[in-house]
Amino acid sequence: MTTAAAPALLEDTQLSSRAGGLYRHQNIVTGLIGGIGLGAIGWALSHQFLQGSNWGTDMVVTVTMAGWVIGLLLGIGAFNAPVLWMLGHDQTHEDELYLAGVGQGPRRYWKFCTDHKVVGVQYLIAVFTIFGVGGTLAMMIRTQLVSAHSSFLGANAYNAIVSVHGMAMIVATIIMVTGPFGNFIVPIMVGAKDMAFPRLNALSFWLLFAAVPPLLATFVLGGVDAGWTTYAPLSVQAPPAMDAFAITILTFAVSVTLSGINIIVTVLTMRAEGMTLNRLPIFTWGAVIGSALGLYAMPAFMVGMVMMITDRVSGTSFFVAAVGGSGWLWENIFWIMGHPEVYVILIPPVAAMLEVVSTFARKPIFAYKVTVGAFIAIIALSIMVWAHHMFTTGWAPDLNGPFMLTTELISIPTGIIFLCVIGTLWRGSIWTRLPMYWAYLFLWNFIIGGVTGIYLSDVPADNYFHGDMFVTAHFHYTLLGGAMIAAVAAFCYWFPKVSGRMLNERIGKVAFWMVAIGIQITYFGMFWEGFEGMPRRVAYYDPIFLHANQMATVGAYLLMAGFVVLLYAIIHSWVHGRPAPANPWHAKSLEWMVPTPVPLENFLVEPVVTADPYGYGEPEPAAPAAEPEREPVPVGSAETTAGEPV
Amino acid sequence: MSSDLAVKTREPDPLPPEKAPFFSRPSGKIFLIWLAMTVVGVLIGFYAPHHLLPTMLSVEGRAVWATVVLLTVLAAPVAAFVYGVGFYSLVAWRQRGYGQSDEPPPDGPPLRGNSGLTILWLVVSGVLVVVMLVWGLAELASENATHPNSLQVDVTGQQWLWTFSYPGAGNLETRSLVLPDNRTIVFHVTSEDVTHGFWPVELGVQVDANPNVVTTIQATTNKLGAFTVRCSQLCGLYHSFMYASGAVVTPQAFAVWLHAHGASALTASDVARVSSSS
Ligand SMILES: [Cu+2]
């Protein structure tokens, strides 16, 4: 693709002042103008012509929000190339270099940039922002629950906050590893110059960006009062906020699908010479397997939300039992998405954390092939367990036995993950740097999440615990204590490569202990509430649950404070941190073999892989994962010690 | 970057020779940690449900208690093993002096797997799953068995209250749920509006109340006492306030209660039929 005349670093190419065409003038500002503009046009037209009909307000909100999404993408330049193609033109090589950010410095982070590393950083900032929103809402929920009949929030505001907290956290956790690191790290790990479809990659990020404002708009559109699960018929009757919520999910589901296809195709088709499937770093496997499962789960979400929208704006009645539909239909569609989605969230961070465990135990990953097989077994089983969320709905009591079987079977491959972790730790040279702290916290939390999940998988116990705070505590232990903590481990691990700085571990460890203790206090409080019989999603409760709730609230404040300290450590280090060498952890996978900051198209010399990246403690010839005789060229920035030969 | 800690050869293997006494070897120490943590886990398994669950008033509620105890006892050894190996590794093999160092400690041994151990792991987890499953299916079967002389109670949820009616007693309608002791109660549950979750907490069962369909669930009372009916499915604005009081009373007291609430509509034989267990 690059010409022979290319200079040593692609990003130093001098482009003509016409490179990029219209795209030269497009960025987030024109995107916002386009989104708000088309949204306003949509509002005006639908208000004029549709407001009078039965479902007028819902139509207006749906059209306005769809206008926002499409306008944003037009304004930012997502459709420039397709339009050119339709007109019989094409973009030049120079245009493509401009699109990849050449010559734009930091401005490229605000544009529709096709460089996978820029997209990765954009995702990272987006994930932090959404976690910030979701975490703030969580603090409001816990503040409401500090007393039995608090007047802090009204009942409607409470329900709206519970719904958006849930959806925001689901959005953020689905993308928290595949977004930043699936984009930034995976292509380098497999020895590729970029993702397979760079334009789709940029599109998937800006779709995510477009999906968030409608979610926040729900607060001014009456609030979603049905929780993030939006069970019908309550959701069909909900205020117009529900239409914006549906647009968020549709947009987000398209984004996840595109991003998943991109990761899968990149790993399958763009691996470097010698990067056989047996040598693939386990995180790459996790990203591919999680993305593949996303391709199964997201269509169900889209179909369900389209049916939800038509129920609301045109009076179909898929989910309204009073006129021939069924709420159980929604519940089935939702959980056919919802249970696989749990593993879409979980598998990529767990796989990333296994990289951390191997690097900081200075040992190869234990039972690598069995673990990859376990990931595959998990996703295969995970599409057959959805109705365990419906044990107590009365939908199909005869199926409770079979679904209990599949649900409990999934604990066998999940158990393999523990075998892999402790097998890797066993007799390792444990190097207690910050990423390893979080990996240990994952181990601690995920056992508790797993054991409490077993109670819920057993129908007689679920008959008690279903729909109560025990469930809330359980899935927070797995998704926050497990997946999110594993993602933090991965973040601390790759931070030097992404930012070019070392993370401040002293502050990071303070944050670690606050988060670690905060999680235990918060969710043991919630287990206690659950044992006592407190239902989920209540704004006011029986005073018999008071002490358990106070415990959970105190823990939640500590937990949030810990994350704020971590955020401070991150921002401080990103600005003032010690410059990072190319391979600070002396790890062996390809992303550590390239200079920091990583040049455009990543590799100065195409790598040839001769071994897997886990050759710790093995005889030298087998050890290097990377190419022979390559002299990394230091990158021009004065503040880095890039290109340290490895 | 450079560090004087950069020792590149691994120190002598910390494992004592095979002939060392069992409890001074890592496996022996981990065994002791495992044993202690298993005991703690089992104690938690007995303590937590016993002290944290409310007093259960039905056979099914008792099954919740037993299931939690059994599953904790099954899970405790597995969790203890993972914790034991994980944290023993941290304590015994942590490379001291490297916590702040930019140089990594020397590599550990290149153990890439152990098929015997993997198979053992799979077999043990498979056996545990089978035990769990058999237990769950057996409980499920007994909870779904039909009982002669059961009492039907119709439950209707609406935003945001519960209504109970006794079809055998002239459709007597009440806002609180009174049940006779030692009787299998079959609840026929439906909703007037959105989906609710009918959850008589101390009976240990629940089923959703869906509009336009009737779902059923049964519970066999076996203890006198008061209980609370809660809503376990988010149902809109005042979901929090959707609860009702209930009580399991003696059959005699139940008959009296029926009389007091609906005597005019009931014949004496109606009351006798509804309120007596065979
Ligand atoms: Cu309700």
Side-chain angles (χ1 to χ4, degrees), chain B residues 153-232:
Chain B
V153 176
D154 291 348
V155 179
T156 305
Q158 71 195 79
Q159 287 170 325
W160 290 273
L161 50 85
W162 294 108
T163 307
F164 310 100
S165 83
Y166 298 78
N171 284 319
L172 167 68
E173 278 199 2
T174 63
R175 289 268 183 263
S176 57
L177 180 56
V178 177
L179 302 172
D181 192 15
N182 277 316
R183 190 86 179 266
T184 299
I185 320 292
V186 180
F187 297 103
H188 288 227
V189 182
T190 190
S191 165
E192 299 266 289
D193 38 48
V194 301
T195 304
H196 302 273
F198 169 63
W199 184 23
V201 177
E202 286 83 351
L203 301 187
V205 295
Q206 63 178 302
V207 72
D208 280 1
N210 293 278
N212 295 68
V213 270
V214 176
T215 50
T216 60
I217 192 125
Q218 64 183 31
T220 303
T221 53
N222 66 356
K223 191 169 170 51
L224 301 176
F227 64 91
T228 310
V229 177
R230 298 193 187 278
C231 177
S232 60

Side-chain angles (χ1 to χ4, degrees), chain A residues 159 362 367 392 415 426-433 440 444 455 460 463-464 466 539 542 578 612 614 617-618, chain B residues 10 13 15 54 72 83 86 93-95 98-99 101-102 106-109 112 121 143 199 206-208 230 236 240:
Chain A
N159 286 348
R362 313 307 295 172
T392 65
W426 171 255
R427 292 178 61 198
S429 296
I430 312 293
W431 187 17
T432 46
R433 298 291 296 269
Y440 262 98
W444 175 265
Y455 302 147
N463 273 339
Y464 182 81
H466 186 90
D542 193 322
R578 199 153 53 91
D612 80 1
Y614 304 118
E618 284 174 351
Chain B
R10 170 120 184 184
D13 200 314
L15 292 179
T72 314
Y83 282 159
W93 294 310
R94 182 165 66 87
Q95 300 295 299
Y98 286 91
S101 162
D102 281 334
D107 290 351
R112 281 179 173 268
W121 187 271
E143 291 187 5
W199 184 23
Q206 63 178 302
V207 72
D208 280 1
R230 298 193 187 278
S240 313

Side-chain angles (χ1 to χ4, degrees), chain A residues 142-150 469 525-526 528-530 532-534 538-554, chain B residues 230:
Chain A
R142 285 316 320 171
T143 303
Q144 167 73 22
L145 295 179
V146 78
S147 66
H149 290 86
S150 165
M469 291 302 286
M526 287 192 196
W528 181 9
E529 295 166 17
E532 288 182 329
M534 175 173 158
V538 293
Y540 313 99
Y541 53 84
D542 193 322
I544 57 172
F545 307 125
L546 182 65
H547 293 298
N549 273 287
Q550 288 174 334
M551 175 175 170
T553 297
V554 168
Chain B
R230 298 193 187 278

Side-chain angles (χ1 to χ4, degrees), chain B residues 46-112:
Chain B
F46 279 95
Y47 171 86
H50 199 78
H51 289 264
L52 298 182
L53 284 174
T55 307
M56 294 295 187
L57 306 180
S58 71
V59 175
E60 289 73 11
R62 189 75 189 166
V64 173
W65 179 87
T67 304
V68 170
V69 171
L70 174 85
L71 295 183
T72 314
V73 169
L74 288 180
V78 179
F81 183 73
V82 172
Y83 282 159
V85 176
F87 289 94
Y88 180 82
S89 300
L90 182 62
V91 172
W93 294 310
R94 182 165 66 87
Q95 300 295 299
R96 283 168 184 77
Y98 286 91
Q100 325 281 336
S101 162
D102 281 334
E103 285 300 313
D107 290 351
L111 308 170
R112 281 179 173 268

Side-chain angles (χ1 to χ4, degrees), chain A residues 434 495 502-509 568-570 572-573 577:
Chain A
L434 188 59
F495 181 84
M502 297 304 288
L503 191 56
N504 184 323
E505 298 203 0
R506 207 169 41 84
I507 310 177
K509 284 171 188 172
Y568 170 77
I570 291 165
H572 185 269
S573 304

Side-chain angles (χ1 to χ4, degrees), chain A residues 337-413:
Chain A
M337 177 287 300
H339 203 85
E341 169 255 20
V342 171
Y343 294 97
V344 176
I345 292 173
L346 193 67
I347 289 176
V350 167
M353 184 218 48
L354 292 177
E355 302 282 356
V356 172
V357 172
S358 169
T359 303
F360 293 92
R362 313 307 295 172
K363 272 187 65 199
I365 286 187
F366 188 83
Y368 165 92
K369 285 185 187 172
V370 179
T371 308
V372 173
F375 286 150
I376 294 171
I378 286 172
I379 69 165
L381 282 169
S382 79
I383 66 179
M384 293 184 278
V385 300
W386 79 90
H388 67 214
H389 295 272
M390 299 174 65
F391 281 155
T392 65
T393 58
W395 164 60
D398 293 344
L399 291 180
N400 283 358
F403 276 107
M404 184 162 68
L405 167 71
T406 54
T407 303
E408 293 181 351
L409 280 181
I410 214 167
S411 63
I412 297 176

